[in-house]
Amino acid sequence: MNTLCNKYGYTPNQEAIDKSIGMIASNLDEMISAKVLMDCFGIMDLTTLNTNDTEASVRKLVGKVNSLRKDYPQYPLPASVCVYPNFASIVAEERNDPELHVTVVSSCFPSAQSFLEVKVRECELAVEAGADEVDIVLALNAFLTGDESRAAEEIRAMKKAIDSKAEAMGKKVVLKVILETGLLVTPLAIAEASFLAMEAGADFIKTSTGKVSVNATPMAAYVMCEAIAAYYKQTGRKVGFKAAGGISNSMDAVCYYSIVSSVLGKEWLDKSLFRLGVSRLANQLMSSIEQKTVTVF
């Protein structure tokens, strides 16, 4: 399974990764600051992916983001609001500023267990409905059985459909590929999946759906960032990184911020290349910045 790892000259070193993560963890208290917390706020994909989401609840969430400029003018907008694809048009209609992107999950999220034609059409419909960014799921039913070519072809097919529809609408749509690293388990499998997704056209690679028992972890993030660095070294193309699933407090956010900074450098510390997928984190960041309990979201 390490064909692509060999191609890009990268094999995860578990001992070295553990040591690096340990050093980052020991320095988090020194790393945390109002500026870093504010940076983390500005790279959030503020997410609601609940079975009981409704048009009204999505409108309410976007309304809270719209109110930020008035109530907390010193804060950046989150990078996006992330919803199921049927709510893309609601976010697009309700946002006050196009700087707030419309992100959707697609490809029969979270399992990706359906016909490729269905996944492709869902992506097209999401773009038509106003999506600026589409998060799809790696076909684990292919990847875990060693059929990497099929897993890659699915990504390419969705990428082609998204790009074609976006071009017809005169815009660019970002593609993020969710690896579901908690189910890949090993650093080598995570690295291989990272290279596969990047080669197939991913603009970002993302840790998790948030819908399985193990979601984002520092180990997975570190491996993915090292793979991004190796891919960039050979191709010159910068791919973004998104951590998602279980990121619920300020220290978690600063940990991932530190990993990206350490492995990829400060140029990646921007919403164009780094995202945090969150549902609970926004209030925690604001509370840490304000040094009091804040409940906006």
Side-chain angles (χ1 to χ4, degrees):
M1 183 184 272
N2 62 344
T3 304
L4 291 174
C5 288
N6 290 337
K7 176 178 177 180
Y8 290 98
Y10 171 65
T11 301
N13 183 322
Q14 184 75 65
E15 183 178 349
I17 291 169
D18 290 344
K19 183 178 179 181
S20 295
I21 291 172
M23 291 178 64
I24 287 170
S26 67
N27 290 320
L28 286 182
D29 286 336
E30 296 178 15
M31 184 70 180
I32 198 166
S33 68
K35 180 189 181 304
V36 168
L37 294 171
M38 201 74 84
D39 286 348
C40 289
F41 193 91
I43 60 174
M44 292 188 307
D45 288 344
L46 191 60
T47 301
T48 180
L49 297 173
N50 302 312
T51 304
N52 61 346
D53 284 342
T54 63
E55 287 192 8
S57 67
V58 172
R59 289 184 194 277
K60 185 177 180 180
L61 177 61
V62 180
K64 291 177 178 180
V65 178
N66 289 338
S67 296
L68 272 175
R69 285 272 164 85
K70 175 172 65 74
D71 299 333
Y72 294 90
Q74 72 274 32
Y75 279 72
L77 284 175
S80 79
V81 170
C82 179
V83 294
Y84 282 112
N86 50 305
F87 295 119
S89 62
I90 303 300
V91 180
E93 291 165 8
E94 292 294 316
R95 63 181 172 177
N96 284 346
D97 190 334
E99 183 185 337
L100 178 72
H101 279 193
V102 181
T103 296
V104 302
V105 293
S106 194
S107 74
C108 300
F109 176 97
S111 69
Q113 297 283 15
S114 189
F115 303 102
L116 178 57
E117 293 86 349
V118 174
K119 299 179 192 181
V120 167
R121 185 60 182 140
E122 186 180 52
C123 290
E124 290 175 333
L125 289 169
V127 175
E128 288 176 358
D132 301 301
E133 306 182 10
V134 178
D135 293 14
I136 67 172
V137 185
L138 175 69
L140 292 180
N141 54 12
F143 184 83
L144 292 176
T145 57
D147 193 351
E148 293 190 14
S149 61
R150 181 161 71 87
E153 184 50 43
E154 288 209 4
I155 295 171
R156 291 190 189 98
M158 285 181 272
K159 170 75 170 173
K160 181 179 179 181
I162 289 166
D163 285 353
S164 177
K165 188 64 65 175
E167 184 179 2
M169 298 174 69
K171 65 179 188 178
K172 168 78 172 124
V173 172
V174 171
L175 174 66
K176 306 192 200 88
V177 178
I178 305 166
L179 306 184
E180 203 68 288
T181 54
L183 300 182
L184 297 179
V185 182
T186 69
L188 189 61
I190 293 169
E192 187 74 6
S194 297
F195 288 125
L196 182 150
M198 289 187 285
E199 275 205 344
D203 298 304
F204 274 72
I205 51 175
K206 174 179 170 182
T207 59
S208 322
T209 61
K211 303 296 186 181
V212 296
S213 58
V214 178
N215 291 290
T217 65
M219 181 277 287
Y222 205 96
V223 171
M224 290 169 68
C225 287
E226 287 198 318
I228 289 170
Y231 181 80
Y232 174 60
K233 184 177 180 180
Q234 284 209 22
T235 68
R237 186 169 80 91
K238 292 180 179 178
V239 174
F241 167 73
K242 178 175 175 178
I247 305 171
S248 60
N249 61 61
S250 298
M251 205 61 85
D252 288 341
V254 175
C255 178
Y256 290 111
Y257 184 97
S258 299
I259 289 171
V260 171
S261 178
S262 174
V263 178
L264 292 169
K266 291 184 178 180
E267 60 190 307
W268 255 264
L269 298 177
D270 181 87
K271 66 182 180 180
S272 65
L273 289 169
F274 178 30
R275 297 291 179 85
L276 297 171
V278 302
S279 58
R280 295 170 288 168
L281 180 65
N283 289 330
Q284 294 294 322
L285 288 174
M286 294 183 76
S287 296
S288 296
I289 293 166
E290 301 296 325
Q291 294 292 293
K292 63 181 181 181
T293 301
V294 177
T295 307
V296 172
F297 299 101

